[in-house]
Amino acid sequence: MAAAAEAVTEVDATNEEGEEEEQVVNPWEVSAGKGGIDYDKLVDQFGCQRLDDALVARVARLTARPPHRFLRRGLFFAHRDLNEILDLYEKGEKFYLYTGRGPSSEALHLGHLIPFMFTKYLQDAFKVPLVIQLTDDEKFLWKNLTVEETKRLARENAKDIIACGFDVERTFIFSDFNYVGGAFYENMVKVARCVTYNKVVGIFGFTPEDHIGKVSFPPVQAVPSFPSSFPHLFSGNDQLRCLIPCAIDQDPYFRMTRDVAPRIGYQKPSLIESRFFPALQGENTKMSASDPNSAIYVTDSAKEIKTKVNKYAFSGGRDSIELHRKLGANLDVDVPIKYLNFFLEDDNELEHIKKEYKEGRMLTGEVKQCLVAVLSELVARHQRARALVTEEMVDVFMAARPLPNMFG
Ligand code: TYM
């Protein structure tokens, strides 16, 4: 493991005045300096690799389909050993996908959808199995929720995840409270014995006041990276490689996992990591469950989306129309453009909007109108798909069952 990867997850960023600020990115806290998150510094500090154009082209070639817009636009921007997965895939070997969600709230915001939309694309493109972990135990330990409530939220969140379109013949969704035990638990204690208290404090920044539930949790999120944790899926296939799509906030868990894996005879998981979908107020604020106006939720109505975008989305447009026509918008801080970058599929249309807006021919109101149309359509489609997800479907996805055609 590189020395950089062992460091705590705090990065010094420099603001416009040249003052040093602390940028904190870990699974529980994402706070940027004034100019937003410095992703370049993050890659260097975490010791991951940049996902360059050549790798994106290779994914497109191997899957014989155009790369997802999140790849084309550098929104998934970092990785760990993705090339090794592709090398094996090129030789005809398969792998499996692993991702997850911490069920702390009823409704997902658009940021939470990013890894799931992307994972759905990867599953379709590579035709591989997928395990999705719902860390109800994590949210019990970190939030003021009862066990029953986290279990209920896990099932509700599973419906939103299923609505993203995963293939039931290739997907196993599990909640920790229901599934942890047996081979999964054996792997947890194998991992736990390899990680000292000092190490876990170094990686996650725990303090002496933190309860031991937090300190002991990381192995739970680590072991779905190992196929032997799922005997009903991968029995006899202990060296099958794993690829984890997530935002970069989850990286600390998997730095730890990759450090331990060879010591217990397992393959290191590979990762493909995204930037953060920003809050409506901009890159240096956080989407927060306690402030419904900081984010668009998958439960929002078209009217709510319109109000939120028009009222709260931070604009890079100028103060007066005259000034705007003269100077054009500052796209670097403009939230509607950032949101369109994630969700407007048509590259030509996106480029056209950016150009017109940057050169002052398009006004903020017009860009926001376009964003409202894109998001209302996306959220309405999600709501229609979710309404079709029944309790029985959740039971099927969450049953520990063999998936006979998972590589087919
Ligand atoms: P959670 O529930 O905080 O987040 C779920 C997934 O969404 C990603 N994410 C975002 N992506 C883009 N923009 C954002 N603003 C944004 N906010 C969150 C997260 O990176 C995550 O991929 N401990 C985890 C659950 C988990 C998990 C995993 C996640 C268990 N195993 C394996 C990824 C991979 C959690 O609480 O995620």
Side-chain angles (χ1 to χ4, degrees), residues 27 98-103 109 111-116 133 135 138-139 217 221 244-250 253-254 274-278 287 342:
Y98 157 41
T99 194
R101 153 82 182 147
H109 59 56
H112 293 132
L113 281 192
I114 308 290
F116 291 106
Q133 179 178 43
T135 50
E138 178 191 16
K139 294 304 156 183
F217 175 74
Q221 185 155 330
I244 306 172
C246 57
I248 197 153
D249 61 327
Q250 302 296 311
Y253 282 116
F254 302 116
S274 78
R275 294 166 179 266
F276 300 111
F277 183 77
M287 286 186 278
F342 274 91

Side-chain angles (χ1 to χ4, degrees), residues 184 187-189 191-192 195 215-224 253 256:
F184 192 102
N187 280 337
M188 275 173 53
V189 295
V191 170
V195 184
V215 177
S216 61
F217 175 74
V220 186
Q221 185 155 330
V223 303
Y253 282 116
M256 184 196 85

Side-chain angles (χ1 to χ4, degrees), residues 31-194:
S31 68
K34 236 189 176 167
I37 291 168
D38 184 336
Y39 286 101
D40 274 334
K41 277 197 176 163
L42 213 51
V43 165
D44 294 337
Q45 183 86 7
F46 281 7
C48 40
Q49 299 149 279
R50 285 180 181 75
L51 212 170
D52 59 17
D53 291 346
L55 208 46
V56 173
R58 190 168 180 219
V59 170
R61 187 166 50 76
L62 286 176
T63 57
R65 61 170 75 197
H68 194 280
R69 62 177 184 278
F70 296 165
L71 280 177
R72 298 200 297 273
R73 299 182 189 156
L75 298 170
F76 273 76
F77 74 108
H79 74 101
R80 290 179 184 272
D81 294 342
L82 175 63
N83 42 333
E84 288 184 16
I85 295 266
L86 298 181
D87 289 346
L88 290 171
Y89 188 80
E90 196 157 24
K91 288 190 210 140
E93 285 181 39
K94 292 275 182 157
F95 59 94
Y96 74 102
L97 293 161
Y98 157 41
T99 194
R101 153 82 182 147
S104 56
S105 63
E106 189 100 30
L108 275 62
H109 59 56
L110 293 185
H112 293 132
L113 281 192
I114 308 290
F116 291 106
M117 289 173 141
F118 189 64
T119 304
K120 147 89 179 143
Y121 149 80
L122 291 174
Q123 182 179 59
D124 289 350
F126 287 101
K127 307 222 169 2
V128 285
L130 160 67
V131 296
I132 300 177
Q133 179 178 43
L134 302 173
T135 50
D136 38 13
D137 51 349
E138 178 191 16
K139 294 304 156 183
F140 171 79
L141 292 167
W142 262 268
K143 306 273 173 185
N144 193 16
L145 296 168
T146 61
V147 168
E148 290 66 33
E149 182 62 357
T150 59
K151 286 168 95 168
R152 188 186 72 78
L153 292 174
R155 249 186 110 80
E156 287 308 304
N157 288 181
K159 292 177 190 163
D160 281 302
I161 293 169
I162 293 167
C164 292
F166 292 107
D167 179 350
V168 70
E169 299 203 338
R170 290 198 178 98
T171 307
F172 172 49
I173 304 177
F174 64 98
S175 108
D176 289 338
F177 281 136
N178 288 335
Y179 184 70
V180 173
F184 192 102
Y185 184 65
E186 287 169 23
N187 280 337
M188 275 173 53
V189 295
K190 285 185 195 171
V191 170
R193 198 169 69 174
C194 291

Side-chain angles (χ1 to χ4, degrees), residues 334-375:
D334 191 85
V335 167
I337 288 293
K338 287 180 195 295
Y339 277 28
L340 285 172
N341 203 23
F342 274 91
F343 289 120
L344 179 62
E345 177 61 34
D346 188 325
D347 291 339
N348 293 331
E349 198 183 341
L350 181 66
E351 278 321 303
H352 176 74
I353 293 173
K354 279 184 172 169
K355 188 164 187 293
E356 294 300 292
Y357 193 32
K358 192 172 177 204
E359 294 174 5
R361 285 183 296 279
M362 232 176 147
L363 301 175
T364 298
E366 295 167 289
V367 179
K368 285 190 169 181
Q369 203 181 344
C370 175
L371 178 64
V372 168
V374 170
L375 295 186

